[in-house]
Tab-separated table of all heavy atoms in Angstrom:
chain	number	residue	atom	x	y	z
G	214	ILE	N	68.327	149.572	103.111
G	214	ILE	CA	66.897	149.666	103.694
G	214	ILE	C	66.518	148.394	104.412
G	214	ILE	O	66.199	148.343	105.649
G	214	ILE	CB	65.803	150.070	102.753
G	214	ILE	CG1	66.248	151.364	102.017
G	214	ILE	CG2	64.420	150.196	103.274
G	214	ILE	CD1	65.323	151.641	100.860
G	215	ARG	N	66.830	147.371	103.662
G	215	ARG	CA	66.328	145.925	104.228
G	215	ARG	C	67.501	145.259	104.897
G	215	ARG	O	67.289	144.645	105.941
G	215	ARG	CB	65.747	145.060	103.164
G	215	ARG	CG	65.257	143.690	103.625
G	215	ARG	CD	64.841	142.855	102.374
G	215	ARG	NE	64.377	141.554	102.798
G	215	ARG	CZ	63.023	141.289	103.253
G	215	ARG	NH1	62.311	142.194	103.298
G	215	ARG	NH2	62.810	140.024	103.614
G	216	TYR	N	68.633	145.508	104.361
G	216	TYR	CA	69.898	144.693	104.888
G	216	TYR	C	70.856	145.804	105.454
G	216	TYR	O	70.862	146.948	104.970
G	216	TYR	CB	70.494	143.920	103.904
G	216	TYR	CG	69.665	142.666	103.405
G	216	TYR	CD1	68.793	142.699	102.325
G	216	TYR	CD2	69.584	141.486	104.182
G	216	TYR	CE1	68.130	141.779	101.722
G	216	TYR	CE2	68.721	140.464	103.720
G	216	TYR	CZ	67.991	140.616	102.599
G	216	TYR	OH	67.250	139.635	102.186
G	217	GLN	N	71.816	145.335	106.191
G	217	GLN	CA	72.937	145.869	106.447
G	217	GLN	C	74.148	145.124	105.732
G	217	GLN	O	74.063	143.818	105.796
G	217	GLN	CB	73.440	146.214	107.832
G	217	GLN	CG	72.533	147.078	108.718
G	217	GLN	CD	72.853	147.216	110.168
G	217	GLN	OE1	73.442	146.201	110.797
G	217	GLN	NE2	72.692	148.456	110.631
G	218	TYR	N	75.099	145.760	105.123
G	218	TYR	CA	76.164	145.088	104.396
G	218	TYR	C	77.484	145.137	105.137
G	218	TYR	O	77.836	146.308	105.379
G	218	TYR	CB	76.126	145.500	102.953
G	218	TYR	CG	74.964	145.113	102.067
G	218	TYR	CD1	73.855	145.961	101.971
G	218	TYR	CD2	75.009	143.887	101.454
G	218	TYR	CE1	72.783	145.519	101.268
G	218	TYR	CE2	73.754	143.585	100.643
G	218	TYR	CZ	72.674	144.457	100.704
G	218	TYR	OH	71.575	144.033	99.845
G	219	SER	N	78.203	144.097	105.238
G	219	SER	CA	79.482	144.232	105.897
G	219	SER	C	80.472	143.669	104.969
G	219	SER	O	80.160	142.651	104.265
G	219	SER	CB	79.466	143.409	107.314
G	219	SER	OG	78.517	143.931	108.193
G	220	VAL	N	81.685	144.186	105.115
G	220	VAL	CA	82.866	143.570	104.269
G	220	VAL	C	83.868	143.061	105.356
G	220	VAL	O	84.394	143.953	106.082
G	220	VAL	CB	83.398	144.562	103.280
G	220	VAL	CG1	84.569	143.964	102.490
G	220	VAL	CG2	82.386	145.139	102.401
G	221	GLU	N	84.059	141.804	105.560
G	221	GLU	CA	84.803	141.309	106.598
G	221	GLU	C	85.978	140.309	105.960
G	221	GLU	O	85.820	139.695	105.060
G	221	GLU	CB	84.032	140.340	107.542
G	221	GLU	CG	82.918	141.342	108.222
G	221	GLU	CD	82.039	140.432	109.034
G	221	GLU	OE1	82.250	139.313	109.230
G	221	GLU	OE2	80.769	140.990	109.485
G	222	SER	N	87.054	140.139	106.778
G	222	SER	CA	88.060	139.151	106.337
G	222	SER	C	87.538	137.747	106.284
G	222	SER	O	86.689	137.363	107.296
G	222	SER	CB	89.256	139.277	107.313
G	222	SER	OG	90.221	138.318	107.130
G	223	ASP	N	87.994	136.975	105.342
G	223	ASP	CA	87.551	135.588	105.479
G	223	ASP	C	88.613	134.768	106.025
G	223	ASP	O	88.470	133.536	106.000
G	223	ASP	CB	87.275	135.071	104.064
G	223	ASP	CG	88.545	135.068	103.046
G	223	ASP	OD1	89.613	135.546	103.516
G	223	ASP	OD2	88.404	134.593	101.935
G	224	ASN	N	89.609	135.415	106.608
G	224	ASN	CA	90.699	134.645	107.264
G	224	ASN	C	91.438	133.692	106.293
G	224	ASN	O	92.233	132.777	106.737
G	224	ASN	CB	90.247	133.818	108.440
G	224	ASN	CG	89.707	134.740	109.637
G	224	ASN	OD1	90.237	135.771	109.850
G	224	ASN	ND2	88.578	134.263	110.011
G	225	ARG	N	91.339	134.018	105.012
G	225	ARG	CA	92.090	133.235	103.929
G	225	ARG	C	92.794	134.132	102.984
G	225	ARG	O	93.066	133.740	101.935
G	225	ARG	CB	91.072	132.284	103.288
G	225	ARG	CG	90.412	131.296	104.053
G	225	ARG	CD	89.381	130.502	103.468
G	225	ARG	NE	89.938	129.674	102.288
G	225	ARG	CZ	89.067	128.856	101.538
G	225	ARG	NH1	87.848	128.611	101.940
G	225	ARG	NH2	89.686	128.173	100.583
G	226	GLY	N	92.930	135.387	103.384
G	226	GLY	CA	93.543	136.386	102.507
G	226	GLY	C	92.591	137.213	101.658
G	226	GLY	O	92.888	137.934	100.803
G	227	GLY	N	91.334	136.891	101.856
G	227	GLY	CA	90.213	137.645	101.154
G	227	GLY	C	89.296	138.266	101.977
G	227	GLY	O	89.421	138.280	103.178
G	228	MET	N	88.204	138.704	101.372
G	228	MET	CA	87.071	139.409	102.033
G	228	MET	C	85.747	138.786	101.739
G	228	MET	O	85.569	138.164	100.649
G	228	MET	CB	87.021	140.868	101.499
G	228	MET	CG	88.457	141.506	101.585
G	228	MET	SD	88.943	141.865	103.312
G	228	MET	CE	87.825	143.111	104.037
G	229	LEU	N	84.722	138.971	102.705
G	229	LEU	CA	83.504	138.430	102.564
G	229	LEU	C	82.528	139.679	102.399
G	229	LEU	O	82.651	140.490	103.234
G	229	LEU	CB	83.052	137.524	103.774
G	229	LEU	CG	83.891	136.287	103.931
G	229	LEU	CD1	83.457	135.628	105.342
G	229	LEU	CD2	83.637	135.322	102.789
G	230	VAL	N	81.470	139.496	101.551
G	230	VAL	CA	80.427	140.554	101.582
G	230	VAL	C	79.189	139.874	102.249
G	230	VAL	O	78.722	138.858	101.610
G	230	VAL	CB	80.138	141.010	100.218
G	230	VAL	CG1	78.962	141.955	100.142
G	230	VAL	CG2	81.423	141.778	99.662
G	231	ILE	N	78.791	140.397	103.316
G	231	ILE	CA	77.686	139.638	104.006
G	231	ILE	C	76.422	140.712	104.292
G	231	ILE	O	76.583	141.925	104.630
G	231	ILE	CB	78.204	139.336	105.450
G	231	ILE	CG1	79.336	138.369	105.465
G	231	ILE	CG2	77.041	138.679	106.332
G	231	ILE	CD1	80.113	138.298	106.672
G	232	ALA	N	75.219	140.206	104.017
G	232	ALA	CA	74.156	141.004	104.183
G	232	ALA	C	73.319	140.429	105.380
G	232	ALA	O	73.051	139.265	105.548
G	232	ALA	CB	73.163	140.756	102.979
G	233	THR	N	72.798	141.343	106.230
G	233	THR	CA	72.253	141.008	107.529
G	233	THR	C	71.062	141.763	107.829
G	233	THR	O	71.095	142.980	107.505
G	233	THR	CB	73.225	141.200	108.738
G	233	THR	OG1	74.610	140.460	108.303
G	233	THR	CG2	72.772	140.754	109.940
G	234	ASN	N	69.936	141.133	108.355
G	234	ASN	CA	68.894	141.858	108.926
G	234	ASN	C	68.460	141.074	110.144
G	234	ASN	O	69.171	140.107	110.580
G	234	ASN	CB	67.889	142.179	107.987
G	234	ASN	CG	67.175	140.917	107.433
G	234	ASN	OD1	67.199	139.878	108.036
G	234	ASN	ND2	66.453	141.116	106.295
G	235	SER	N	67.319	141.424	110.777
G	235	SER	CA	66.922	140.739	111.914
G	235	SER	C	66.397	139.232	111.721
G	235	SER	O	66.370	138.545	112.691
G	235	SER	CB	65.604	141.552	112.570
G	235	SER	OG	64.533	141.617	111.575
G	236	ASP	N	66.249	138.916	110.435
G	236	ASP	CA	65.774	137.608	110.139
G	236	ASP	C	66.812	136.611	109.552
G	236	ASP	O	66.825	135.384	109.735
G	236	ASP	CB	64.628	137.621	109.149
G	236	ASP	CG	63.427	138.339	109.604
G	236	ASP	OD1	63.150	138.258	110.779
G	236	ASP	OD2	62.896	139.137	108.832
G	237	GLU	N	67.865	137.257	109.020
G	237	GLU	CA	68.888	136.391	108.362
G	237	GLU	C	70.272	136.967	108.245
G	237	GLU	O	70.409	138.157	108.184
G	237	GLU	CB	68.376	136.006	106.896
G	237	GLU	CG	68.038	137.173	106.192
G	237	GLU	CD	67.457	136.674	104.688
G	237	GLU	OE1	67.580	135.635	104.271
G	237	GLU	OE2	66.757	137.584	104.082
């Protein structure tokens, strides 16, 4: 609802979980 969540490569062999909205 408030955020979109992405799971992206960290370019170090792992993954990042990132929360995004219009403010942050």
Side-chain angles (χ1 to χ4, degrees):
I214 302 173
R215 182 181 180 86
Y216 295 99
Q217 291 185 328
Y218 292 90
S219 302
V220 184
E221 304 176 4
S222 171
D223 67 354
N224 298 315
R225 300 173 62 174
M228 308 293 287
L229 302 172
V230 175
I231 302 171
T233 307
N234 63 19
S235 58
D236 299 319
E237 58 184 339

